[in-house]
Each structure stands twice: as C-alpha cells, then as structure tokens.
Amino acid sequence: MPPRSTRSVDPLDDDDYPAYTMGRAAEMLGASPAFLRSLGEHRLITPLRSEGGHRRYSRYQLRIAARARELVDQGTPIEAACRIIILEDQLEEAQRINEQLRGRRSQQQPETTA
C-alpha cells in the first residue's frame, strides 16, 4: 500500500516517513527480511528507497506488516493474508465514504414540520 498522505509534517510525527531500514523493521516485527520482501512482492506494502537503493519502511507500513505477520502466524498463507488486509483496507475506505455521503444527504434533506 502506498503512503497515505503527502502532507508536510515533522518526520518524527509522520506515520508515512520511511524511517526504518529493512533490518530494523524485520527486528521490530520479529520477522525476516525475506518476509518483508514477500509483502512487497504481493503488493501489500511498497517501501521507499534510500539514495543507495535500500528499502525504508514507515510506521504505517510496519503496522500493516505486523497485521500480515499475525495472520501468517495463525496459519494463513501469505498470499491470502495480503489479500485479506487489502480487502479490509478497501472496506474501511468504502465505509468512510458511505458515512460522508450519509452525512451530506442528511444535511440536504429539508426538515418537515407537523
């Protein structure tokens, strides 16, 4: 999943800032670098690259990777885990949009008096 926003924020406060190397990210997750590479191959997360070409991960991406690790640890194949997470994300976005549209609709409806 690509970064969620491009807003200008202090990197220490920005969940999308690519602060973690692959080794550090793998250590934090208790996973191997190969696990992180496989999440990229399945297009669940796309790490940014340093000037030297090294993968860098954000806190947001690490949360997604942790969710994938949880599913895999429960016996879900990695391909299925990635698909589940992508679908969960799409559902959450659809629900958010639905709520926004409902809010607009209720504001546009005229009040009836009896």
Side-chain angles (χ1 to χ4, degrees):
M1 298 181 167
R4 296 168 297 149
S5 69
T6 56
R7 65 178 192 248
S8 177
V9 175
D10 181 355
L12 296 175
D13 296 330
D14 187 357
D15 269 359
D16 294 322
Y17 183 75
Y20 303 97
T21 63
M22 176 179 277
R24 180 68 178 128
E27 179 183 318
M28 291 170 68
L29 293 170
S32 67
F35 177 77
L36 288 171
R37 281 192 295 273
S38 67
L39 296 180
E41 290 167 7
H42 290 93
R43 298 183 179 169
L44 181 62
I45 56 176
T46 304
L48 293 170
R49 299 281 182 150
S50 68
E51 288 183 20
H54 300 281
R55 290 174 178 90
R56 305 285 294 197
Y57 296 88
S58 69
R59 288 190 308 241
Y60 174 70
Q61 290 172 325
L62 292 183
R63 284 194 298 274
I64 293 169
R67 174 73 174 122
R69 170 87 198 272
E70 180 182 299
L71 290 170
V72 169
D73 286 350
Q74 293 172 359
T76 305
I78 194 163
E79 300 85 12
C82 291
R83 187 68 182 138
I84 288 167
I85 294 166
I86 289 168
L87 290 170
E88 287 174 343
D89 188 58
Q90 290 173 345
L91 176 61
E92 184 179 310
E93 178 69 7
Q95 289 173 330
R96 185 188 62 75
I97 291 169
N98 193 16
E99 280 300 313
Q100 286 178 343
L101 292 173
R102 284 183 180 175
R104 286 186 199 152
R105 190 175 312 134
S106 66
Q107 291 173 358
Q108 292 175 351
Q109 292 178 350
E111 292 184 30
T112 57
T113 56

